[in-house]
């Protein structure tokens, strides 16, 4: 049995080739999860499957952390450092059209975001780490439910259930597969990597009446149209041009009949941003413009302003570390800096509590996009992702 003393440094830590023998097993696990998708907040079977495996490998397992969350810890040596690694487990309400032999057995539910692959890669690392034990400290593996929930998500619920108080976690890491980049390519980014997203719903309260007598009404349709145009100034005239933000008015609803001016008009919009200060500025501008446009026309406006997942902000040191480990594992040619992504991720909440980094792993250049009925996680990534997590844990805890 090799020990840390008689091995060259590089061989001390997990390599992709160390997972070759596990490839068939990892595929079988991924295909099982893929065939049995469970939506956010319903991940009971998935959680049991994961927890049973982890217990079998000798982990101390806590079930039902913040819903169907599973947390597994393994301590080795006398080291006091601890690393947290997170995978998400939930699926989506989509009718699968991949034609895969292991396609969803549940009509209308599908692993269309690759969380089956994320879960499998972390399980692969878990088995390897338990078997080889070449680390000095504590590994904490976080299997999170309900990432797709949009609000009151699995990350928030696990944190509220004491994730960081109950389990040793000095830094936390996670990753998402990334269609459009080659399988095995790893992408990192210090700072903001994924956008924060807010939803705004506005009701203009006018005064309805006959379409032929507009002077006796307060026309909410005209006001809503005015407001949609006025709101276009927020990103173009108020946000610093070196910052990135999106404000899209995506719905307008008003009226039923062509000869009636309605009482109300409703619009809703989606806001994306990469800097929390920009989010505050946009909110302030939307509120002011809405109130003043409505008031100018003699109407009132009700605003529902909902903050969704915040910006995923990677800490510098942990991202540099993950980048270094990624380069050791797959070579510097296969590691690149990720552009800021307009999608959102509830991993952002974990990074409010601990430093850490969220990575992306290419899912193949020709991969259908996430949340598509034809999307499938790329099995080539199973050994690469498992090796990445294992090596990251070993390197972090042995440093
Ligand atoms: Zn998704
Ligand atoms: Zn996802």
């Amino acid at each position: 049995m090799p020990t840390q003393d008689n091995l060259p440094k590089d061989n001390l830590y997990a390599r992709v080739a160390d997972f070759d023998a596990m490839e068939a097993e990892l595929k079988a696990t991924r295909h099982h999860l893929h065939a049995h998708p469970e939506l956010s907040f319903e991940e009971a079977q998935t959680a049991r499957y994961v927890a049973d495996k982890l217990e079998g490998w000798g982990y101390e397992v806590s079930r039902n952390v913040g819903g169907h969350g599973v947390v597994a810890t393994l301590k080795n040596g006398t080291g006091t450092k601890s690393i947290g690694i997170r995978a998400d487990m939930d699926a989506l309400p989509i009718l699968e059209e991949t034609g895969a032999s292991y396609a969803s057995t549940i009509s209308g539910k599908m692993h269309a975001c690759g969380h089956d692959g994320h879960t499998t890669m972390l399980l692969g690392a878990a088995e390897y780490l338990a078997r080889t034990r070449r680390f000095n400290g504590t590994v904490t593996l976080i299997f999170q439910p309900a990432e797709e929930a949009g609000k009151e998500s699995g990350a928030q619920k696990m944190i509220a259930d004491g994730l960081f108080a109950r389990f040793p976690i000095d830094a936390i890491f996670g990753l998402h597969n990334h269609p459009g980049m080659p399988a095995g390519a790893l992408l990192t980014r210090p700072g903001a990597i994924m956008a924060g997203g807010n939803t705004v719903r506005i009701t203009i309260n006018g005064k309805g009446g006959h379409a032929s007598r507009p002077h006796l009404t307060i026309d909410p349709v005209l006001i809503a149209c005015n407001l949609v145009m006025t709101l276009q100034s927020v990103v173009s005239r108020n946000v610093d041009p070196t910052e990135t933000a999106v404000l899209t008015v995506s719905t307008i609803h008003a009226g039923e009949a062509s000869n009636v001016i309605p009482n109300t008009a409703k619009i809703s919009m989606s806001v994306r941003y990469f800097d929390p200060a920009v989010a505050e500025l946009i909110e302030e501008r939307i509120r002011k413009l809405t109130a003043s446009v409505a008031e100018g026309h003699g109407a009132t406006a009700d605003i529902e302003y909902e903050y969704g997942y915040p910006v995923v902000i990677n800490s510098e040191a942990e991202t540099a570390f993950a980048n270094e480990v990624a380069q050791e594992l797959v070579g510097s040619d296969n590691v690149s800096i990720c552009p800021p992504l307009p999608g959102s991720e509830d991993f952002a909440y974990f990074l409010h509590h601990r430093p850490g980094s969220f990575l992306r792993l290419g899912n193949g250049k020709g991969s259908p996009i996430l949340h598509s009925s034809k999307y499938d996680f790329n099995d080539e990534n199973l050994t690469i992702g498992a090796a990445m997590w294992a090596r990251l844990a070993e390197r972090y805890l042995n440093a």
Side-chain angles (χ1 to χ4, degrees), residues 113 115 148 371:
C113 205
H115 298 183
E148 302 283 5
H371 295 201

Side-chain angles (χ1 to χ4, degrees), residues 287-306:
R287 287 187 181 279
K288 267 205 178 116
L289 289 172
T290 302
S292 62
V293 168
E295 200 209 335
H297 291 275
T300 61
D302 299 325
I303 304 179
E304 270 177 64
Y305 211 105
E306 189 181 299

Side-chain angles (χ1 to χ4, degrees), residues 66-123:
H68 293 301
V70 175
V71 180
T73 58
L74 187 68
K75 192 168 162 43
N76 197 56
T78 53
T80 55
K81 284 180 85 176
S82 58
I83 184 172
I85 307 176
R86 170 273 211 172
D88 41 14
M89 302 191 287
D90 54 330
L92 287 156
I94 293 175
L95 185 64
E96 179 162 353
E97 294 184 305
T98 60
S101 58
Y102 50 84
S104 172
T105 56
I106 304 163
S107 182
K109 297 183 186 178
M110 174 188 178
H111 269 295
C113 205
H115 298 183
D116 51 342
H118 302 165
T119 297
T120 304
M121 292 187 296
L122 191 53
L123 284 173

Side-chain angles (χ1 to χ4, degrees), residues 176-217:
H176 205 289
N177 73 93
H178 192 90
M181 287 293 283
L186 281 154
L187 296 94
T188 65
R189 181 178 187 84
I193 182 169
M194 295 187 68
N198 297 337
T199 302
V200 191
R201 296 180 194 85
I202 296 174
T203 303
I204 309 285
N205 305 300
K207 185 177 152 198
H210 203 288
S212 70
R213 297 276 191 280
H215 60 295
L216 301 177
T217 73

